């Protein structure tokens, strides 16, 4: 709660419901992914050199305009908001789609938006990102979070989607630089989640175009990471919803002792509890998207709450999906393992649950519990 809210005694009203426009966007994205990037398509690609589905990014980012949702119309974007981008991420999470949407259309785009008013190169780069012609990636580890200063080393490991980037946004001691991917060394690494490639990125000092000084760059990167963490909750929500729906479907169809296994009381309780967790995750993720869309003063707190909660729900939903599918859930041919690996990877992305819980404690001035050590006196 902000200081102004405390003084007035009023609470900010968050709109958590989906609009008709958002529902239409969801339907369009879901249809595209079902046609171009179904689970069986992904299972055939995840161990190849590139898990990205050919032509999918152009259709999603360019033809559909999803890459420019956060970019104002005057800069060549759609002039939408974080709410619409959250819907896209729900569907990408639901399908475990390999696409640089979170990294380029959210984190890099938000970082550049913070600089667009002062930096002509940043505004020009935003136009390319909004059209889907350009993919930009912030050169930070996937685990980077908005609560610490970004590293300024020349070599950074575990950079998500760097292999798909045209432009790399590199943080250095004297500011933020846009470096063409052709001028950097990008070494693919083996990730846990094969649908979100990682790479080690190395750049030469002085390469690229300077976008901002150190203070402006730090603030812009924090904005990008905060938006990324907030909308990552929507990806985790979509993944958890698919896991729950797929588990319910399977337990209805799978029979033992002439009964659907889903009719057994113990499994009913487990799925009912999971449904409650998913409903809570939906509220938290929608609250984060709404807070970011309205530029709420409470956005950092709302984002931290969403990440601390949704990351755990996604992992639990994926684990239940694997286990309640029985033997088939353990096989490489079933997509349950894709969901579990994405959920575990997302649990560490853009700040772990523990990092966000620490942020919540700091934002609401909640002191840590005092532990008395026996014998210390």
């Amino acid at each position: 709660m902000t200081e102004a809210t405390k003084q007035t005694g009023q609470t900010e009203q968050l709109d958590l419901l989906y609009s008709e426009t958002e529902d239409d966007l969801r339907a369009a994205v879901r249809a595209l992914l079902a046609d171009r990037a179904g689970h069986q398509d992904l299972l055939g690609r995840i161990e190849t050199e590139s898990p990205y589905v050919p032509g999918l990014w152009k259709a999603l980012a360019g033809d559909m305009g999803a890459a420019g949702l956060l970019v104002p119309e005057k800069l060549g974007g759609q002039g939408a908001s974080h709410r619409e981008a959250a819907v896209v991420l729900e569907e990408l999470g639901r399908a475990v789609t390999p696409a640089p949407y979170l990294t380029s259309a959210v984190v890099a785009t938000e970082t550049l938006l913070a600089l667009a008013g002062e930096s002509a190169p940043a505004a020009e780069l935003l136009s390319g990102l909004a059209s889907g012609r350009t993919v930009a990636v912030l050169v930070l580890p996937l685990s980077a979070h908005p609560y610490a200063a970004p590293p300024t080393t020349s070599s950074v490991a575990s950079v998500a989607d760097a292999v798909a980037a045209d432009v790399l946004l590199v943080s250095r001691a004297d500011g933020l630089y846009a470096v063409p991917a052709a001028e950097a060394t990008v070494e693919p690494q083996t990730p846990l989640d094969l649908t979100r490639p990682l790479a080690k990125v190395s750049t030469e000092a002085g390469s690229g175009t300077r976008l901002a000084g150190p203070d402006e760059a730090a603030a812009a990167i924090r904005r990008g990471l905060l938006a990324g963490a907030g909308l990552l909750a929507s990806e985790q929500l979509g993944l958890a919803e698919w896991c729950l729906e797929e588990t319910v479907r399977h337990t209805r169809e799978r029979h033992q002792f002439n009964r659907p296994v889903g009719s057994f009381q113990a499994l009913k309780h487990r799925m009912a509890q999971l449904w409650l967790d998913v409903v809570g995750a939906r509220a938290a993720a929608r609250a984060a998207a709404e807070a970011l869309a309205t530029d709420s003063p409470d956005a950092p707190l709302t984002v931290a709450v969403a990440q601390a909660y949704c990351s755990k729900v996604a992992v639990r939903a994926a684990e239940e999906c694997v286990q309640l599918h029985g033997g088939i859930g353990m096989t490489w041919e079933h997509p349950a393992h894709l969901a579990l690996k994405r959920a575990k990877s997302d649990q560490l992305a853009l700040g772990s649950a523990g990092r966000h819980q620490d942020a919540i404690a700091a934002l609401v001035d909640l002191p840590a519990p005092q532990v008395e050590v026996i014998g210390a006196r």
Side-chain angles (χ1 to χ4, degrees), residues 320-331:
E320 290 286 77
C321 182
V322 170
Q323 187 172 26
L324 295 182
H325 271 76
I328 191 176
M330 307 292 179
T331 64

Side-chain angles (χ1 to χ4, degrees), residues 143-157:
S143 59
H145 53 81
Y147 313 119
T152 56
T153 57
S154 61
S155 183
V156 180

